[in-house]
Amino acid sequence: MIFTHPMFPIFVLFFLFFMNVPIALSLIGSTLYYFVIINHNMPTSLVIQQFVSAVESFPYLAVPFFIMLGSVMNYSGLSDRLMDFAEVLAGHLKGGLAQVNCVLSALMGGISGSANADAAMESKILVPAMLNKGMPLDFSAAVTAASSAVSPVIPPGNNLIMYALIANVAVGDMFLAGYTPGILMTISMMIAVHFIAVKHNYAPSRDKMASPSEILRQVGKSIFALCIPFVIILGMRIGICTPTEAGGVAVLFAFIIGAFAYGKLKFSHIPLILKETVQSTGSVMIIIAAAKVFGFYMSCESIPEMITKALLGLTQNKFLLLMVINLVLLVIGMFIEGGAALIILAPLLVPAVMSRGVDPLHFGVIMIVNIMIGGLTPPFGSMMFTVCSIVNCRFDKFIKQVWPFIIALLIVLVVVTYSESIALLIPKIFGYEPIHTGIQALGG
């Protein structure tokens, strides 16, 4: 009977997604269906153990620290310094504040690591300024949502940490791997903004390009914010601290700078920072725990092995396999939030691609860039919803304006998918050796 088929909980999962049930509850609900209806002989205590053990991993402590770092940045004035630095670098370009929007997202990626946090911040700060410069609301919203896709790709994005833990690669290497695709995504969107700005004659926000002395002065004002991501990665690379310890040190550093150097961080901000951190951490960790239990159900039915065999049966060519996986991820990304998609799908896909000679670090870059594109697309793109709800932009108008940016990001996805040397440029500079455990030949 179909209702007792081992694959039916997957149908239940997607049905709950389409009914707009929160991700964590959808995962829990579909898993409960399996253990209550299909495999009711399984002890309930064993299922609960899986749920609890999922969040007992020490490396996951890095997640709340980096979430807190983004919140501290906003209250401490460090985000304002990054905004001023982005304005000095890109304000003179055609499109002005739209270009600043792209650069700021890249800079904020090294701090907040959250697409939705970045999208919310820029919706409140930059969109009103873009409207004052004569740019339409739908274009301003599209630029803001598209540029926020860069934030989780540039370290210390939480998606980078989670993928590293899932795929058993070093967090420091994963951080280094995020820079090249993040920079390429930023450049591609700035090019798209340029062509749109020329077509519609969107004015720069500055009369002329900043002089070298002006740029240096702004670097001096923004130096603390600019140094944070490099200090984090350097500390991990030379073995001074773990990712968790690096997150704690970065939070302490931001507190000290905000309170004493800039004087903007007040004692009254601490409860607000803690509240935001707890809320965001809770939403992330419950998804991780629910995904672990859902993964337990799939392991019981050997579904990961079935999916791996099905993918490998499609083609012996690793490049065609990556194309198929990219298409599947793009479709799934339209319906499932990026972090949840990463947690659910990475354990299934990493063994398949590694058996075809794809380096797990390289695949991490591919997967994270891919799921961030999904966050822009209807019907359930999270950044689309975040920006449109804050700035009151109609979804149909937003969709018309965001397509040039999606195309620009898809070009970057193709580049990083089919050029390992580009995708892993920075990790290789620091001595990373790609892992090719499977068949490496072009034809399989």
Side-chain angles (χ1 to χ4, degrees), residues 5 7 47 50-51 73 91 96 121 125 155 161 164 181 184 192 224 239 243 261 310 327 340 347 392 398:
H5 192 279
M7 299 290 283
V47 180
Q50 293 291 322
F51 189 87
M73 289 284 294
M121 182 200 71
I125 297 174
I161 299 171
L184 291 176
F224 293 122
L327 292 174
N392 293 319
F398 172 90

Side-chain angles (χ1 to χ4, degrees), residues 98-99 102-103 106 143 146-147 149-150 180-196 369 373 376 402-416:
Q99 300 283 17
C102 297
V103 175
V143 173
S147 69
V150 178
T180 299
I183 292 169
L184 291 176
M185 291 167 73
T186 303
I187 292 172
S188 69
M189 285 186 289
M190 292 180 73
I191 292 171
V193 166
H194 173 79
F195 284 111
I196 295 170
V369 171
I373 297 173
L376 298 175
V402 82
W403 282 112
F405 300 104
I406 292 177
I407 292 171
L409 293 176
L410 286 173
I411 292 172
V412 174
L413 177 61
V414 171
V415 171
V416 298

Side-chain angles (χ1 to χ4, degrees), residues 10-322:
I10 296 177
F11 170 80
V12 174
L13 175 66
F14 280 93
F15 175 75
L16 293 174
F17 281 157
F18 287 123
M19 294 298 293
N20 256 349
V21 176
I23 299 292
L25 295 180
S26 298
L27 288 164
I28 294 170
S30 56
T31 306
L32 282 175
Y33 182 92
Y34 172 76
F35 287 111
V36 172
I37 304 297
I38 300 176
N39 190 4
H40 51 78
N41 295 322
M42 179 73 68
T44 307
S45 60
L46 189 60
V47 180
I48 300 300
Q49 276 182 355
Q50 293 291 322
F51 189 87
V52 174
S53 65
V55 295
E56 289 182 338
S57 174
F58 175 76
Y60 277 128
L61 283 174
V63 174
F65 279 126
F66 284 117
I67 289 174
M68 178 179 278
L69 177 60
S71 183
V72 173
M73 289 284 294
N74 289 331
Y75 288 102
S76 65
L78 289 167
S79 297
D80 295 334
R81 297 299 197 279
L82 290 178
M83 170 71 181
D84 295 339
F85 184 62
E87 170 77 11
V88 167
L89 290 181
H92 65 284
L93 299 174
K94 199 73 173 178
L97 288 176
Q99 300 283 17
V100 172
N101 200 320
C102 297
V103 175
L104 181 59
S105 289
L107 295 174
M108 283 301 298
I111 309 302
S112 72
S114 167
N116 287 308
D118 180 63
M121 182 200 71
E122 294 189 13
S123 295
K124 296 172 183 176
I125 297 174
L126 272 177
V127 170
M130 293 171 71
L131 296 177
N132 290 336
K133 287 290 184 179
M135 298 179 191
L137 176 62
D138 48 356
F139 170 73
S140 302
V143 173
T144 301
S147 69
S148 68
V150 178
S151 293
V153 180
I154 293 180
N158 290 329
N159 285 350
L160 298 172
I161 299 171
M162 287 190 286
Y163 177 85
L165 297 175
I166 292 168
N168 197 28
V169 298
V171 175
D173 288 335
M174 197 67 236
F175 278 4
L176 290 173
Y179 278 111
T180 299
I183 292 169
L184 291 176
M185 291 167 73
T186 303
I187 292 172
S188 69
M189 285 186 289
M190 292 180 73
I191 292 171
V193 166
H194 173 79
F195 284 111
I196 295 170
V198 168
K199 180 179 179 180
H200 297 284
N201 196 30
Y202 296 146
S205 57
R206 294 175 58 94
D207 294 332
K208 60 181 181 178
M209 181 177 179
S211 64
S213 60
E214 188 177 358
I215 294 174
L216 286 175
R217 282 197 300 272
Q218 189 57 54
V219 167
K221 295 177 182 178
S222 308
I223 190 65
F224 293 122
L226 295 172
C227 282
I228 287 178
F230 297 105
V231 170
I232 291 171
I233 293 174
L234 183 63
M236 288 188 291
R237 288 299 301 178
I238 63 179
I240 294 177
C241 54
T242 65
T244 300
E245 293 163 347
V249 170
V251 169
L252 178 62
F253 179 77
F255 262 111
I256 293 172
I257 296 304
F260 300 106
Y262 296 157
K264 285 197 171 185
L265 189 64
K266 307 298 181 186
F267 186 80
S268 59
H269 293 148
I270 294 178
L272 299 174
I273 292 170
L274 292 175
K275 180 182 177 182
E276 291 176 7
T277 302
V278 169
Q279 287 176 335
S280 298
T281 302
S283 63
V284 171
M285 298 310 289
I286 195 171
I287 290 174
I288 291 174
K292 177 69 178 293
V293 180
F294 189 78
F296 180 55
Y297 138 67
M298 290 194 291
S299 296
C300 290
E301 295 295 337
S302 300
I303 293 175
E305 291 80 359
M306 292 166 54
I307 292 174
T308 299
K309 289 180 181 178
L311 286 171
L312 297 180
L314 291 174
T315 177
Q316 295 294 309
N317 187 310
K318 73 175 183 180
F319 298 109
L320 288 178
L321 177 63
L322 287 174

